[in-house]
Amino acid sequence: MTAMLATGGAGFIGSNFILHELAAHPDLRIVNVDALTYAGSLANLASVAQDPRYAFIQADITNQAAMSAVFTQYNPNVVVNFAAESHVDRSIQTPELFAHTNVLGTVTLLEAARQHWTHQDPAHHRFIQISTDEVYGSLPLDRPDLLFTEKSPLAPRSPYAASKASADTFVLSYRDTYGMPVNITRCSNNYGPRQYPEKLIPLTISRALAHQPIPIYGDGSNVRDWIHVHDHCRAIDAIIQNALPGEIYNIGAREEHANISLVTTILDTLSKLTNDPEISPRLIAHVTDRPGHDARYGLDISKIQHDLDWHPQIPFYQGLISTIYGNLGA
């Protein structure tokens, strides 16, 4: 039976991944290590709380003794590191927290895995670092033909992106120095069920339903590539099952939308679904732009498509409607 350690598994992407893996692999055991900071909730995993294949430990990945104990007790041969501070605005306010969790936490986890796996066959192990497309920096709005590839230089422009880029380089250093079997995933913006409401899509939905102003940075022209979290989970699983160790994979859906366009679409859809004329673009409130705000992200996903035969399956508008309905139900 395969044993997996998922860190940050009570968060949005991590919890969706754990649910996906337990459903897809009956012979899998998963231990979820999460510090349960503001964005993590065990309610996200209530449906598997009593599953004998699932265990939860509340711990911080920067705690070396705690991480060593997890490896000793559960002997995981796959590690998927979701644990991270991930909100750009918060990183601008408290950059040291992001360095601590995202960099030191990753190094602590790498070292725990290295020490535990030292005398074991590396062919049976894998360390998956969940990174972000933000490590590449920004693309120009007037060049939609330009996309980031896995070989694009790292050029982070926010403390959050810098912390993730630094963590990536540590992961690669463990590959090259110690021969650790690692992979790095760099995904575009996720959306879907149980996303923490500080993110754009759930924030827009909740504020619209409450008839509250919806803040948009600058003129709202910033473009993001959106992927449904279930497609992201499928991609991570494909990497665990079939990728060669040492490889980096971009994960996206080629669904680029300007923030202002996305918010307007959500408002129009909500207004029709609820028959509420108060939900309209009049709720949009343009605010001072974020410092160093990246103009556009766009990912070339041809590598994962070619190497692993993975393709996004959920059309954006279909996934968005499902997400809106889920929030209405909540």
Side-chain angles (χ1 to χ4, degrees):
M1 178 179 283
T2 299
M4 179 184 294
L5 166 59
T7 66
F12 166 50
I13 301 175
S15 62
N16 275 283
F17 176 75
I18 288 174
L19 295 175
H20 175 276
E21 292 297 282
L22 289 174
H25 303 288
D27 61 342
L28 179 65
R29 292 186 297 114
I30 297 181
V31 56
N32 169 20
V33 170
D34 198 298
L36 293 184
T37 57
Y38 75 96
S41 172
L42 292 182
N44 292 336
L45 292 160
S47 63
V48 296
Q50 303 305 315
D51 191 323
R53 299 174 300 150
Y54 169 77
F56 170 72
I57 294 177
Q58 184 171 355
D60 192 314
I61 62 168
T62 63
N63 185 325
Q64 185 176 12
M67 293 306 97
S68 179
V70 168
F71 275 87
T72 299
Q73 180 177 355
Y74 291 95
N75 192 29
N77 56 309
V78 176
V79 176
V80 188
N81 183 28
F82 295 97
E85 296 285 345
S86 65
H87 195 261
V88 175
D89 288 350
R90 292 177 185 267
S91 80
I92 294 171
Q93 299 300 319
T94 56
E96 66 281 4
L97 173 61
F98 283 67
H100 180 77
T101 299
N102 298 355
V103 184
L104 179 60
T106 298
V107 175
T108 302
L109 197 61
L110 282 165
E111 189 59 14
R114 183 182 75 85
Q115 292 184 10
H116 191 74
W117 292 345
T118 294
H119 301 296
Q120 300 181 26
D121 184 354
H124 297 151
H125 298 88
R126 193 63 61 91
F127 187 106
I128 311 294
Q129 173 71 3
I130 307 300
S131 189
T132 170
D133 58 357
E134 296 191 41
V135 300
Y136 295 125
S138 183
L139 292 169
L141 290 174
D142 60 353
R143 289 292 307 276
D145 57 308
L146 293 180
L147 296 171
F148 292 126
T149 73
E150 289 83 356
K151 295 183 178 180
S152 295
L154 302 185
R157 287 164 40 88
S158 71
Y160 162 61
S163 70
K164 294 297 287 186
S166 179
D168 284 4
T169 61
F170 268 104
V171 172
L172 294 177
S173 77
Y174 270 65
R175 175 196 66 184
D176 297 336
T177 304
Y178 304 112
M180 182 175 285
V182 305
N183 291 104
I184 296 175
T185 69
R186 294 175 179 151
C187 193
S188 59
N189 282 38
N190 279 229
Y191 70 98
R194 298 177 295 278
Q195 188 169 25
Y196 193 73
E198 70 184 357
K199 302 295 186 177
L200 181 60
I201 289 178
L203 177 71
T204 299
I205 295 170
S206 63
R207 283 185 166 265
L209 292 172
H211 301 159
Q212 296 175 342
I214 299 162
I216 294 290
Y217 284 121
D219 61 4
S221 62
N222 305 76
V223 171
R224 301 294 182 261
D225 176 15
W226 292 90
I227 182 172
H228 195 281
V229 67
H230 291 169
D231 277 335
H232 186 190
C233 294
R234 289 178 42 252
I236 299 169
D237 183 69
I239 291 167
I240 294 170
Q241 302 301 323
N242 298 311
L244 292 174
E247 296 295 330
I248 299 169
Y249 289 97
N250 288 343
I251 303 171
R254 297 309 323 276
E255 285 283 1
E256 293 187 26
H257 300 273
N259 288 343
I260 188 68
S261 173
L262 172 58
V263 170
T264 300
T265 297
I266 294 172
L267 291 172
D268 289 345
T269 303
L270 272 174
S271 180
K272 293 174 182 175
L273 289 175
T274 61
N275 196 29
D276 185 348
E278 295 298 314
I279 300 178
S280 78
R282 292 189 300 273
L283 292 173
I284 295 173
H286 292 273
V287 298
T288 302
D289 206 358
R290 167 194 292 161
H293 199 178
D294 294 335
R296 171 179 164 253
Y297 304 140
L299 290 176
D300 181 342
I301 59 172
S302 58
K303 180 178 177 179
I304 191 171
Q305 291 177 311
H306 176 269
D307 289 2
L308 305 180
D309 194 28
W310 172 90
H311 305 271
Q313 294 181 346
I314 302 175
F316 178 69
Y317 193 67
Q318 174 185 318
L320 185 62
I321 289 291
S322 175
T323 302
I324 290 173
Y325 270 115
N327 279 265
L328 287 173

